[in-house]
């Protein structure tokens, strides 16, 4: 049986099923975003291995993945400061990819808290 290849077309087809996710770019590379916030993209930095994907997530989640399966998940020095992990697409299946994009979606929605009313008032100008 032929093994299916995971590439950005697969990432796109799974990611666009999530509410509000749109295809976009990040640094000129294909990306998926939610309200302008990055979920996943092709790595722009050359330190990433070919056929990798940058997936947004909290640093605690990233640490767990790196410890659990370093053959699939990795970071390079360039990505250490980012809330993201690099994923070797050749080593994941559709179910894992769906879970990763779901984690990215939760990360973005959790970190995109609406501005408080007090903060909005402070920035609101009135004319008299």
């Amino acid at each position: 049986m032929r093994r299916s290849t995971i590439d950005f077309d697969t990432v796109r087809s799974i990611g666009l099923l999530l509410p509000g996710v749109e295809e976009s770019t990040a640094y000129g590379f294909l990306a998926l975003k939610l309200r302008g916030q990055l979920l996943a993209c092709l790595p722009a930095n050359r330190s990433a291995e070919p056929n990798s994907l940058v997936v947004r997530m909290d640093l605690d989640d990233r640490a767990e993945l790196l410890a659990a399966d370093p053959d699939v998940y990795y970071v390079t020095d360039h990505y250490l400061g980012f809330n993201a992990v690099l994923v070797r697409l050749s080593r994941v299946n559709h179910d894992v990819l769906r879970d990763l994009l779901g984690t990215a979606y939760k990360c973005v929605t959790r970190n995109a808290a609406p501005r408080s009313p007090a903060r909005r008032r402070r920035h609101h100008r009135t004319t008299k």
Side-chain angles (χ1 to χ4, degrees), residues 52-125:
S52 290
L53 182 71
V54 178
V55 179
R56 178 122 176 235
M57 65 181 52
D58 294 327
L59 294 177
D60 289 340
D61 291 335
R62 176 175 83 180
E64 287 179 24
L65 289 177
L66 291 171
D69 204 343
D71 289 336
V72 176
Y73 308 103
Y74 70 104
V75 291
T76 64
D77 288 344
H78 175 79
Y79 291 96
L80 282 176
F82 293 100
N83 287 350
V85 69
L86 291 159
V87 180
R88 293 177 178 99
L89 290 176
S90 63
R91 301 195 179 177
V92 296
N93 60 37
H94 285 80
D95 293 336
V96 170
L97 184 56
R98 185 175 30 256
D99 290 346
L100 287 169
L101 294 175
T103 299
Y105 190 88
K106 289 176 189 171
C107 178
V108 169
T109 56
R110 184 173 46 243
N111 294 329
R115 292 170 56 180
S116 69
R119 185 170 177 185
R120 278 189 292 244
R121 274 195 301 276
R122 193 175 16 185
H123 293 290
H124 179 70
R125 292 185 182 185

